[in-house]
Amino acid sequence: MTARSVPRLLAAVTALLALGGVAACSDEGASADPDRVDVVAAFYPLQFLAERIGGDAVRVTNLAKPGAEPHDLELHPRQVGQVVDAELIVYLSGFQPAVDEAVEQNGGDRAFDVAGVQPLLDAAAGGHEHEGEAGHDEETGGKDPHLWLDPTRLATVGDRLAERLGRADPDRAADFTARAQAFRADLAKLDTEYAEGLKTCQRREIVVSHTAFGYLAARYQLEQVGITGLTPDSEPSPQRLAEVAKEAREHRATTIFFETLVSPKVAETVAREVGARTAVLDPLEGPPADGDYLSAMRANLRTLRTALDCS
C-alpha cells in the first residue's frame, strides 16, 4: 500500500461504517493497483472516454451497471467506498444526484466534472420546448447533460481529461496527451461522417421518446420532437401525446424513436397513432449491446439516414 492511499482508505472505512457497510469495504484497499491511476467513472460514456485516454495506465470502475438507467443510480456502500478511494472521479454534475452527493461529500480535488469543460446547452436546444417537459430540468439547472452525443464536444472533454490524468500521473502525461489526440482524430472522422450523411435528407425532424438528442440535433441541423423531457421514464400527458402525434403527421415522420434502457410502449403508442414504425436511437447513457461508443454512434447514423430518407 502506498502512503498516499492510507488517508483515502481510512476515509473509505469511516464512510462505509457510517452506512453500515463494514463487510463491503474489507478488501477495498487491496484491490488498488499502484502502477495505474484508479479512476471512477459515473456512467458509460465517461468510462469509455477514461479508458481511451488512459489506456493501460488507468483502472476504470463504472458506477452505473449495464442495463440500468444511469439517471436513477443509487450508490451502495461499496460504491461510496470506490468514490472515496479513487484517485480521479469523472462525473457530470446534475446528471446523477447520488453521484453529485457522493462527490460533494468525498470528492475533494480528485473530482473532474465534465459539465465544466464547456457551457452546457439549454434543455430545449435542438428542438421544441413544451409544457410538462421540465421534469429533470430542475436537477440540471435547465441544462441538457447529454454532451457526448456531439463528437466535437466529447473531443474537447478528452483533451481536458488528458491534462487531469497528467496531473495524477506526471510520468505518463505525454502518453495521455497522445491518446487524446488520437481519440480526437477518431471523433473528427465520426463528425465528418455525420455531417456528410445527414446533409441531404427529405426530413430533418426526429421524434424521440425523451429529449436526449439536443447536442446531436444542434450539431447536424436536426430538430428533435420529444415525447417527454430530459427524464426518460416520465409519463407524458394525453395532451402531450396528442401534440407529438400532430407534429409527427405535420412533418410526415416515418419513424418514432425509442431507447434501449426505457420501455418502448409510449413510442409505440405514438407510432400506431400516426402510422409510423419504431426504431432504436441510442442516447448511449449505458454501454451498447455490441461494440462501443463509436460503433453505436455509427449505428445511430444509419438509423437516422433511413428514417429521414437521406440520399
Side-chain angles (χ1 to χ4, degrees):
M1 181 183 303
T2 62
R4 65 178 179 176
S5 68
V6 172
R8 285 198 295 272
L9 178 58
L10 292 174
V13 171
T14 302
L16 292 174
L17 280 169
L19 291 168
V22 179
C25 70
S26 59
D27 62 348
E28 194 68 45
S31 65
D33 185 343
D35 295 324
R36 294 192 287 177
V37 179
D38 189 13
V39 178
V40 164
F43 58 103
Y44 171 71
L46 304 186
Q47 173 195 356
F48 178 73
L49 183 67
E51 290 173 342
R52 281 295 305 261
I53 305 302
D56 58 5
V58 300
R59 172 182 176 269
V60 183
T61 301
N62 185 355
L63 293 175
K65 302 305 179 186
E69 212 339 295
H71 293 81
D72 303 326
L73 176 67
E74 295 294 337
L75 297 181
H76 299 298
R78 182 179 180 84
Q79 292 172 301
V80 175
Q82 290 170 335
V83 171
V84 172
D85 204 47
E87 294 176 81
L88 184 62
I89 307 154
V90 185
Y91 78 114
L92 197 161
S93 60
F95 186 62
Q96 297 162 295
V99 176
D100 290 353
E101 182 179 358
V103 170
E104 181 180 355
Q105 294 176 356
N106 306 297
D109 61 359
R110 297 171 295 112
F112 175 72
D113 181 6
V114 305
V117 173
Q118 292 178 309
L120 297 180
L121 294 178
D122 291 336
H128 303 293
E129 184 175 13
H130 293 281
E131 198 173 323
E133 283 188 355
H136 191 62
D137 295 10
E138 292 179 3
E139 296 174 9
T140 62
K143 300 297 182 180
D144 184 350
H146 303 84
L147 61 87
W148 58 90
L149 293 176
D150 178 345
T152 64
R153 284 178 174 262
L154 190 61
T156 300
V157 175
D159 293 339
R160 300 291 84 79
L161 179 58
E163 295 172 1
R164 187 64 183 80
L165 283 168
R167 294 201 295 274
D169 188 349
D171 292 340
R172 292 172 169 155
D175 294 336
F176 298 138
T177 298
R179 289 194 192 96
Q181 290 172 345
F183 187 47
R184 175 175 280 278
D186 289 343
L187 293 173
K189 181 180 179 183
L190 178 66
D191 179 51
T192 298
E193 290 173 17
Y194 261 82
E196 292 297 324
L198 298 176
K199 181 185 295 184
T200 54
C201 303
Q202 295 298 312
R203 291 173 297 281
R204 306 209 69 81
E205 299 80 17
I206 54 174
V207 182
V208 296
S209 57
H210 95 285
T211 53
F213 300 93
Y215 290 91
L216 187 145
R219 178 67 184 170
Y220 304 110
Q221 294 80 53
L222 302 177
E223 182 178 0
Q224 69 170 343
V225 177
I227 299 174
T228 64
L230 289 174
T231 304
D233 55 359
S234 63
E235 289 291 332
S237 66
Q239 178 187 359
R240 179 64 195 142
L241 288 174
E243 290 172 351
V244 172
K246 180 175 182 289
E247 290 192 54
R249 290 191 190 94
E250 289 175 352
H251 297 307
R252 299 180 182 178
T254 63
T255 307
I256 310 299
F257 295 107
F258 68 95
E259 316 168 9
T260 54
L261 299 180
V262 179
S263 171
K265 290 182 179 179
V266 174
E268 291 170 348
T269 298
V270 175
R272 283 195 300 271
E273 178 69 20
V274 301
R277 58 181 177 268
T278 59
V280 171
L281 193 63
D282 192 349
L284 282 158
E285 294 174 352
D290 298 304
D292 59 15
Y293 167 89
L294 293 170
S295 60
M297 284 289 285
R298 290 188 168 98
N300 279 348
L301 175 58
R302 291 191 294 271
T303 299
L304 286 168
R305 283 179 51 79
T306 298
L308 300 178
D309 289 332
C310 305
S311 57

